[in-house]
Amino acid sequence: MPNHKKNVEVVDTTCPWVSKVWNTVDTHQKKGLTSIIHGKYAHEETVATISFCEDYIIVKDMKEADMVTDYIVNGGDKEALLKYFKNAISEGFDPDTMLNKVGLANQTTMYKKETRAIGQAFQKAMMKKFGPTEVNQHYMEFDTICDATQVRERFSTSFGCRM
């Protein structure tokens, strides 16, 4: 898009995978889903992603995903959950209502294996809570994992590094 006053052209260099994540969470919001974002709440990409969300919770790893899925299935101490995730939830977040329909997205630099495992945990939680025939009404995911990150992950694991 040209800027005639300064004779410059602005070029959007946003990574297509990051744009895909933003489109995914936008779709979640349009479908009335809460976005579950696998990422780090203070990472600049995640901060940008949540700007597209009304309702979200950010989980950093499988331990945090397990905390949320346990709450979905069994309920629990709402105040403790909100306190733990205080920096990683949307304003006014209510886990009793906002975790009934969720969609998964991720910070593109997170590892594919962990994102997949987190997705499976949320899908299983929804099956337990609502039954297998209703899971698609309560859980949604798109593949938003960056190919370059996965190449790096495969390379690292080929040298015996643990991910």
Side-chain angles (χ1 to χ4, degrees):
M1 68 185 91
N3 183 330
H4 298 292
K5 290 181 181 179
K6 296 192 181 197
N7 198 25
V8 296
E9 183 175 344
V10 176
V11 178
D12 182 355
T13 60
T14 305
C15 170
W17 285 101
V18 173
S19 294
K20 188 174 180 183
V21 172
W22 296 344
N23 290 331
T24 296
V25 297
D26 185 56
T27 299
H28 294 164
Q29 303 309 297
K30 289 176 180 170
K31 292 184 177 254
L33 305 171
T34 296
S35 292
I36 306 292
I37 301 168
H38 175 214
K40 298 171 185 163
Y41 73 84
H43 189 280
E44 58 273 4
E45 181 188 328
T46 301
V47 171
T49 298
I50 65 174
S51 73
F52 290 85
C53 299
E54 291 177 33
D55 303 322
Y56 66 86
I57 185 167
I58 302 162
V59 295
K60 173 179 61 180
D61 52 28
M62 199 63 211
K63 174 187 163 242
E64 290 186 356
D66 286 342
M67 291 170 67
V68 177
T69 56
D70 183 64
Y71 190 90
I72 289 170
V73 174
N74 301 309
D77 187 340
K78 179 177 178 176
E79 294 311 313
L81 186 79
L82 292 172
K83 183 178 180 182
Y84 182 88
F85 286 99
K86 70 179 184 258
N87 295 316
I89 53 177
S90 51
E91 187 176 332
F93 189 84
D94 182 352
D96 294 331
T97 59
M98 294 178 177
L99 292 175
N100 288 324
K101 290 176 71 178
V102 300
L104 180 67
N106 67 294
Q107 178 185 311
T108 60
T109 57
M110 302 306 279
Y111 292 112
K112 186 177 202 164
K113 285 181 185 178
E114 189 169 44
T115 298
R116 294 248 190 270
I118 287 169
Q120 289 174 347
F122 276 94
Q123 187 175 40
K124 286 178 186 175
M126 292 307 185
M127 279 191 225
K128 284 181 183 175
K129 184 169 184 173
F130 299 105
T133 60
E134 296 296 314
V135 70
N136 291 335
Q137 302 302 313
H138 297 275
Y139 178 75
M140 178 183 199
E141 78 176 68
F142 296 104
D143 183 3
T144 58
I145 299 170
C146 172
D147 292 333
T149 299
Q150 301 327 299
V151 169
R152 186 176 70 240
E153 178 182 357
R154 281 193 303 276
F155 181 75
S156 297
T157 56
S158 72
F159 285 103
C161 299
R162 292 183 61 207
M163 296 293 166

